[in-house]
Amino acid sequence: YPLCALSPTTSYKLNFTYVVKEPEDGLWGLKVNGEWNGLIKQVMDGDVVMAAAAFAVSHERQQVVNFTVPIDLQPYTFMYRRPTTLSRAVLFIDPFTPLVWVCIAAMTAIIGPIFWLVHRSSYVYKYHDTVNEYGLFKMSNCIWYCYGAMLQQGGTILPEADSGRMVVGFWWLFVMVTVTTYSGNLVAFLTFPQIEFPIASIDILIKRGFEDGITWGLLGGSVIETYLSEAEDAKFQHLEEMGVKHVESDSIPGGSIFPMIKEDDHVYIEWKSKLEMIMKEQYNITGLCDYAFGKEDFFLNE
């Protein structure tokens, strides 16, 4: 954001006039292929006496121009679409993960035949000559018995052999633990609505980029490009390589960056103070808080 608002006061106190001359390329000043552009080039070439703007002080820039005493220290962060509440249409299956549901379904399917096999193989019934084709000696009845236990409906017939009773006992223990855990988790999900997982850090942003196709961008021609490309950490270099290069007009009210963030899950990387101003401007226009900041700040600059 320009600091030209300081110029009228300064010119009045020091009794001089001035003319504001914007750079033709609209850039702050970045070294590309050995040549500077933007405001930095204007100062270097003598087109202007000074550049009144919120510059980030970098080592490269200090080699070609002089800077005043730093006015403020600002970190970089990123702005993304505010997380929303997830749909409750399938809330009843959320208490367990898909793997747990598969294991429960598989166990429910095989416990009936296992119970029938153990019950049928017991020598107690052969000794008393009570083997028949009714009751728990019939596989379908064993399956229905185990299914009823899962719904917490007890059967009218119990096996006489200890082997069968042990199978029934372990199955009822499994049912009680499963139902209790499911009920507790379901109450928790009903009490506290689920929110989309926020993008709190650069690592999560890159991970979501690979998994969900999230994109990100930054102001083209600004010093953040140099910071990211020259950073020792590979994740920052990846941000610069894959990032969309925006222009200044994209972030003004009505700019193209806002529908990108809200509709296309785009993330914008900038100075934190500038993002706060952008968010405030959008709130004044729409009356809604549609954006959120990442928790990770990086590249603290003068």
Side-chain angles (χ1 to χ4, degrees):
Y1 42 88
L3 298 180
C4 294
L6 296 176
S7 299
T9 303
T10 306
S11 64
Y12 175 77
K13 290 186 175 181
L14 299 181
N15 191 26
F16 69 89
T17 59
Y18 64 93
V19 176
V20 177
K21 185 177 181 181
E22 297 183 359
E24 294 181 357
D25 53 16
L27 301 176
W28 293 83
L30 196 65
K31 193 174 184 180
V32 180
N33 298 325
E35 296 291 334
W36 286 93
N37 56 26
L39 289 170
I40 297 295
K41 180 176 176 56
Q42 281 187 301
V43 177
M44 291 175 58
D45 295 345
D47 291 342
V48 296
V49 176
M50 68 175 182
F55 277 102
V57 180
S58 67
H59 177 72
E60 276 193 331
R61 286 177 172 177
Q62 287 180 315
Q63 304 304 309
V64 294
V65 296
N66 293 323
F67 288 92
T68 63
V69 176
I71 299 175
D72 195 10
L73 297 175
Q74 286 293 326
Y76 282 93
T77 188
F78 52 87
M79 181 175 71
Y80 62 100
R81 178 177 57 82
R82 183 182 181 184
T84 57
T85 303
L86 297 177
S87 172
R88 294 195 171 196
V90 291
L91 184 64
F92 64 94
I93 66 173
D94 286 340
F96 290 147
T97 62
L99 178 60
V100 174
W101 281 116
V102 170
C103 292
I104 292 175
M107 195 63 191
T108 304
I110 66 175
I111 189 61
I114 292 175
F115 179 32
W116 173 81
L117 182 62
V118 171
H119 182 75
R120 183 93 178 184
S121 303
S122 177
Y123 283 95
V124 172
Y125 306 108
K126 295 179 182 179
Y127 179 80
H128 293 287
D129 194 23
T130 56
V131 179
N132 55 61
E133 296 301 326
Y134 305 99
L136 296 178
F137 290 100
K138 193 174 182 179
M139 183 182 292
S140 60
N141 290 339
C142 291
I143 294 175
W144 281 113
Y145 181 90
C146 294
Y147 179 72
M150 177 59 75
L151 300 179
Q152 295 185 304
Q153 301 294 321
T156 58
I157 305 174
L158 289 175
E160 297 179 5
D162 291 340
S163 57
R165 292 186 177 186
M166 289 184 63
V167 173
V168 172
F170 279 114
W171 178 243
W172 270 104
L173 181 61
F174 170 80
V175 168
M176 287 189 295
V177 172
T178 302
V179 172
T180 302
T181 305
Y182 177 83
S183 301
N185 288 344
L186 184 61
V187 170
F189 282 117
L190 290 172
T191 305
F192 301 100
Q194 289 182 284
I195 305 296
E196 285 181 318
F197 194 73
I199 306 174
S201 65
I202 296 295
D203 293 325
I204 296 177
L205 172 59
I206 295 176
K207 181 179 179 181
R208 293 282 299 276
F210 283 119
E211 296 178 352
D212 304 329
I214 286 181
T215 61
W216 56 82
L218 48 98
L219 181 61
S222 63
V223 74
I224 184 63
E225 282 191 78
T226 305
Y227 286 157
L228 293 175
S229 61
E230 296 180 355
E232 296 181 359
D233 199 328
K235 67 181 181 182
F236 293 118
Q237 298 177 9
H238 180 74
L239 284 181
E240 194 278 328
E241 293 173 0
M242 303 302 295
V244 178
K245 306 306 186 293
H246 294 284
V247 295
E248 192 74 36
S249 59
D250 290 345
S251 60
I252 63 175
S256 62
I257 197 172
F258 303 107
M260 291 179 65
I261 294 176
K262 291 192 290 185
E263 299 171 9
D264 301 331
D265 283 337
H266 188 68
V267 176
Y268 186 50
I269 303 172
E270 227 332 339
W271 272 340
K272 190 171 186 177
S273 60
K274 186 172 182 179
L275 293 179
E276 290 173 347
M277 293 180 61
I278 292 174
M279 180 183 289
K280 184 177 180 181
E281 289 176 350
Q282 291 300 304
Y283 178 79
N284 292 335
I285 295 173
T286 64
L288 300 173
C289 183
D290 296 321
Y291 310 98
F293 293 155
K295 292 184 179 180
E296 180 180 357
D297 296 337
F298 51 94
F299 296 154
L300 184 64
N301 288 291
E302 297 177 350

